[in-house]
């Protein structure tokens, strides 16, 4: 009850903010130095914890007031300054991830940090335990399951590893106690466009990176079900034990969304755990217009989704949900008697810490809850639709502007991939040497963008598709991208690209 009171009492003291730039962070530091504020000078003169530490005399709230006054003075709370350069890390002209922050999400982040509790037992964090419980139940229903379980994790890589760990536990529950000694090699499958976290998970779990099979994809980066079926049969023929398949809903580069229904058919036939890495594209579930990208997701065993990506919930906010209720606890529990006593005076099923690999765990679900409950689902749907709409507009403009060429015939998620072909390379035979010269354009453009300070977008090659370096714009929900922003991206690239004369 006291936690709820704190939240409500702060209701009218929520500060609007834009992302703090490095330049402004340095300015604040310099201001504090000029003020000779103890937060910066104590280390030069005193031993940590000394009775003479001047910082101890400031712990009555005055220091926080000074920090907030500096935030206001340095114009960090009044939104995005459109004239600012992106080298100060402003958005929406910085079209990579994490360029902006929603004021409601920031308020939730500040509140959760100020309350500074641990999400392992009900008695330590009762309200936050209930909030996570509520959000997990909501996500289970949102993705089409009747029942399930879940947990919030420190990032999508950990969420994906939870999926692989549970898959192994389902296949060989004895491995929790006795390990995997003497077993056939356990083989995991994921597309050749999937996130690298699955290889890392295989390494951490002792399976070995070489036992993660990269399954072929089509020209849009979507896993081919027939290729998966053949890969599973081949692994068995070679003496391996297939146990886990990862499908992607929104790959990192192309934004590819794998055909979940067809992959589920293969996994049911072969009796394999099907996990979906929806860390990026999972936000489409909030949109009636775009949720078709996740068609069939109700048939999978587990899902990873990062609201801190497309939705812009403050880092970190990564959810993992599983269709098999009780399996998280069964797989991960260690029954520490000093924390998880079974004779407590309340329902110990709310002591969720034993179903997590971690003991110390932040209350990340609260940020998502605060954002959803404040803005409402209709607003979140509008934001998701706006991100997709901006990407569709950008792709259409690329098709019509001289010198631009799209990598795909249409974007699947909000990723838009394209080449800029400078004048010196146009109207020439597209020989291997020509493509080699074109591969130099994206890195040169990236350098010019950063030096110029107007844009920061990513680039990458894709050797397994025969694609040389191309540019990639990724649109997300906050601040909402507009057609004007997309035009600005192309205008800057075109202007800087015209400066490239020799390759």
């Amino acid at each position: 009850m006291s936690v709820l009171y704190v939240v409500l009492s702060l209701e009218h003291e929520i500060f609007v903010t834009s992302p703090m730039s490095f330049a402004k962070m340095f300015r604040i530091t310099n201001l504090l130095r000029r003020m000779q504020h103890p937060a910066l000078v104590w280390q030069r003169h005193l031993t940590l914890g000394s009775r003479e530490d001047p910082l101890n005399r400031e712990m009555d709230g005055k220091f926080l007031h000074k920090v907030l006054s500096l935030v206001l003075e340095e114009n960090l709370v009044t939104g995005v300054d459109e004239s600012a350069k992106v080298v100060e890390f402003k958005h929406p002209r910085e079209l990579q991830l994490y360029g902006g922050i929603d004021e409601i999400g920031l308020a939730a982040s500040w509140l959760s940090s100020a309350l500074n509790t641990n999400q392992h037992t009900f008695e330590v964090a009762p309200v936050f335990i209930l909030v996570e419980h509520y959000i997990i139940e909501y996500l289970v229903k949102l993705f089409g399951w009747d029942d399930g379980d879940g947990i919030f994790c420190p990032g999508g890589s950990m969420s994906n590893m939870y999926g692989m760990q549970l898959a192994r536990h389902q296949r060989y529950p004895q491995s929790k106690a006795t390990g995997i000694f003497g077993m056939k090699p356990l083989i995991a499958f994921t597309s050749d466009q999937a996130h690298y976290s699955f290889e890392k998970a295989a390494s951490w779990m002792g399976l070995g990176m070489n036992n993660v099979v990269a399954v072929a994809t089509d020209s849009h980066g979507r896993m081919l079900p027939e290729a998966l079926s053949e890969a599973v049969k081949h692994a068995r023929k070679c003496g391996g034990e297939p146990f886990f398949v990862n499908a992607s809903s929104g790959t990192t580069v192309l934004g590819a969304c794998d055909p979940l229904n067809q992959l589920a058919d293969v996994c049911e036939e072969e009796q394999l755990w099907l996990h979906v890495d929806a860390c990026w594209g999972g936000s489409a579930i909030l949109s009636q217009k775009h949720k078709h990208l996740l068609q069939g997701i109700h048939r999978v065993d587990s899902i990873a989704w990062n609201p801190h990506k497309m939705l812009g919930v403050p880092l970190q906010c990564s959810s993992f949900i599983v269709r098999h209720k009780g399996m998280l606890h069964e797989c991960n529990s260690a029954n520490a008697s000093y924390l998880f006593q079974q004779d407590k005076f309340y329902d110990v099923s709310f002591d969720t810490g034993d179903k997590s690999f971690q003991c110390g765990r932040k209350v990340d679900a609260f940020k998502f809850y605060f954002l959803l409950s404040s803005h409402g689902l209709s607003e979140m749907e509008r934001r998701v639709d706006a991100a997709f709409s901006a990407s569709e507009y950008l792709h259409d403009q690329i098709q019509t502007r001289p010198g631009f060429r799209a990598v795909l015939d249409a974007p699947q998620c909000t990723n838009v991939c394209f080449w800029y072909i400078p004048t010196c390379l146009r109207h020439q035979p597209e020989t291997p040497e020509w493509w080699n010269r074109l591969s130099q354009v994206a890195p040169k453009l990236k350098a010019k963008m950063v030096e110029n300070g107007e844009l920061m977008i990513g680039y990458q090659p894709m050797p397994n598709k025969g694609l040389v370096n191309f540019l990639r714009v990724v649109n997300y929900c906050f601040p909402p991208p507009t057609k004007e922003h997309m035009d600005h991206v192309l205008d800057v690239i075109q202007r800087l690209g015209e400066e490239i004369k020799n390759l």
Side-chain angles (χ1 to χ4, degrees):
M1 191 65 185
S2 59
V3 176
L4 284 175
Y5 174 76
V6 171
V7 172
L8 294 173
S9 67
L10 292 174
E11 184 180 12
H12 301 296
E13 296 184 349
I14 293 172
F15 290 88
V16 182
T17 187
S18 62
M20 180 183 289
S21 67
F22 284 136
K24 288 191 174 181
M25 183 170 67
F26 292 142
R27 289 205 296 273
I28 289 177
T29 304
N30 288 332
L31 281 171
L32 288 171
R33 284 199 180 100
R34 292 201 303 271
M35 293 165 55
Q36 289 293 291
H37 196 278
L40 292 172
V41 304
W42 69 270
Q43 198 169 19
R44 296 202 301 267
H45 305 295
L46 301 166
T47 302
L48 181 63
S50 157
R51 291 181 182 274
E52 291 77 29
D53 187 342
L55 192 58
N56 289 336
R57 297 197 299 271
E58 297 283 344
M59 292 296 104
D60 57 358
K62 293 179 181 178
F63 176 65
L64 288 176
H65 282 288
K66 287 184 179 181
V67 170
L68 289 175
S69 68
L70 285 171
V71 169
L72 291 167
E73 180 181 334
E74 289 297 311
N75 198 34
L76 298 179
V77 298
T78 55
V80 174
D81 178 2
E82 290 290 341
S83 66
K85 290 188 175 182
V86 74
V87 290
E88 295 189 2
F89 290 87
K90 289 288 186 179
H91 183 79
R93 292 178 181 176
E94 179 195 0
L95 294 166
Q96 299 191 120
L97 292 177
Y98 319 126
I101 192 168
D102 181 282
E103 62 187 88
I104 299 296
L106 180 65
S109 186
W110 282 359
L111 285 169
S112 60
S113 293
L115 292 167
N116 192 37
T117 191
N118 190 351
Q119 187 117 339
H120 59 4
T121 64
F122 181 79
E123 57 199 327
V124 169
V127 171
F128 293 128
I129 290 284
L130 293 175
V131 165
E132 184 180 59
H133 186 78
Y134 174 81
I135 287 293
I136 292 298
E137 281 191 341
Y138 170 74
L139 294 182
V140 164
K141 298 295 191 294
L142 181 67
F143 283 96
W145 298 335
D146 295 327
D147 203 0
D149 197 3
I151 199 167
F152 274 72
C153 308
S157 293
M158 185 63 76
S159 298
N160 287 331
M161 188 159 69
Y162 268 110
M164 192 179 287
Q165 180 81 351
L166 292 188
R168 182 175 70 179
H169 183 79
Q170 184 191 56
R171 179 60 57 93
Y172 292 119
Q174 70 272 22
S175 66
K176 177 181 178 180
T178 61
I180 56 175
F181 306 103
M183 295 182 181
K184 292 180 180 180
L186 290 172
I187 311 297
F189 303 84
T190 190
S191 85
D192 60 19
Q193 301 299 307
H195 195 260
Y196 61 82
S197 59
F198 296 96
E199 291 181 315
K200 287 193 172 186
S203 173
W204 272 47
M205 291 172 60
L207 307 180
M209 288 186 174
N210 290 346
N211 289 321
V212 179
V213 176
V215 180
T217 55
D218 65 15
S219 60
H220 285 70
R222 297 170 295 211
M223 190 193 296
L224 295 166
E226 59 273 22
L228 172 62
S229 183
E230 288 301 316
V232 170
K233 289 178 173 59
H234 180 73
R236 287 205 173 101
K237 185 178 179 180
C238 293
E241 179 68 27
F243 79 110
F244 172 88
V245 173
N246 169 67
S248 300
S249 290
T251 56
T252 305
V253 178
L254 297 178
C257 294
D258 291 339
L260 301 181
N261 269 320
Q262 293 94 313
L263 296 179
D265 290 341
V266 175
C267 290
E268 286 177 8
E269 180 181 348
E270 299 289 350
Q271 296 185 318
L272 303 175
W273 182 286
L274 180 55
H275 171 81
V276 175
D277 175 4
C279 289
W280 174 237
S283 296
I285 198 70
L286 299 175
S287 166
Q288 293 299 316
K289 184 176 180 182
H290 299 288
K291 65 189 303 181
H292 66 89
L293 294 170
L294 306 173
Q295 187 175 4
I297 202 165
H298 65 286
R299 298 178 61 189
V300 311
D301 293 286
S302 57
I303 302 167
W305 177 32
N306 287 359
H308 70 227
K309 286 189 174 176
M310 190 184 294
L311 289 187
V313 178
L315 279 163
Q316 59 197 18
C317 188
S318 177
S319 62
F320 171 79
I321 59 172
V322 57
R323 189 171 60 180
H324 311 284
K325 193 162 188 175
M327 188 173 285
L328 266 171
H329 186 270
E330 181 183 317
C331 178
N332 295 310
S333 62
N335 305 313
S337 60
Y338 72 95
L339 276 178
F340 307 114
Q341 305 93 334
Q342 298 303 295
D343 55 358
K344 291 182 179 180
F345 63 93
Y346 57 82
D347 181 354
V348 294
S349 68
F350 287 101
D351 286 354
T352 56
D354 214 16
K355 69 181 182 182
S356 165
F357 178 77
Q358 301 164 260
C359 181
R361 195 161 60 90
K362 293 176 69 67
V363 294
D364 296 323
F366 175 71
K367 293 178 288 189
F368 191 30
Y369 167 80
F370 207 63
L371 199 75
L372 288 178
S373 59
S374 298
H375 288 309
L377 292 174
S378 295
E379 170 61 15
M380 301 315 295
E381 180 177 17
R382 187 193 67 79
R383 292 184 182 188
V384 171
D385 287 346
F388 274 89
S389 178
S391 293
E392 291 162 3
Y393 175 82
L394 178 62
H395 179 81
D396 290 343
Q397 293 301 302
I398 286 169
Q399 304 283 61
T400 60
R401 287 205 185 199
F404 290 86
R405 182 184 297 183
V407 173
L408 302 177
D409 56 17
Q412 296 173 73
C413 200
T414 65
N415 311 42
V416 182
C417 302
F418 59 96
W419 291 282
Y420 177 75
I421 304 172
T423 305
C424 64
L425 290 180
R426 295 178 200 172
H427 312 300
Q428 295 184 18
E430 296 182 6
T431 63
E433 173 59 24
W434 183 88
W435 282 102
N436 182 57
R437 292 166 67 193
L438 181 63
S439 72
Q440 302 172 43
V441 173
K444 289 180 181 293
L445 276 172
K446 177 65 177 280
K448 287 178 177 291
M449 290 177 204
V450 176
E451 292 164 1
N452 177 274
E454 289 183 80
L455 279 180
M456 185 180 291
I457 64 176
Y459 74 88
Q460 62 286 303
M462 192 169 283
N464 59 6
K465 295 292 184 189
L467 302 175
V468 302
N469 283 324
F470 54 88
L471 297 164
R472 172 173 53 103
V473 170
V474 181
N475 283 313
Y476 48 107
C477 292
F478 193 86
T482 65
K483 292 180 179 180
E484 290 74 19
H485 295 138
M486 300 300 101
D487 288 335
H488 176 76
V489 168
L490 298 182
D491 290 344
V492 171
I493 291 173
Q494 188 166 0
R495 187 178 74 247
L496 297 177
E498 289 172 356
E499 299 174 5
I500 300 175
K501 303 297 183 182
N502 298 304
L503 291 167

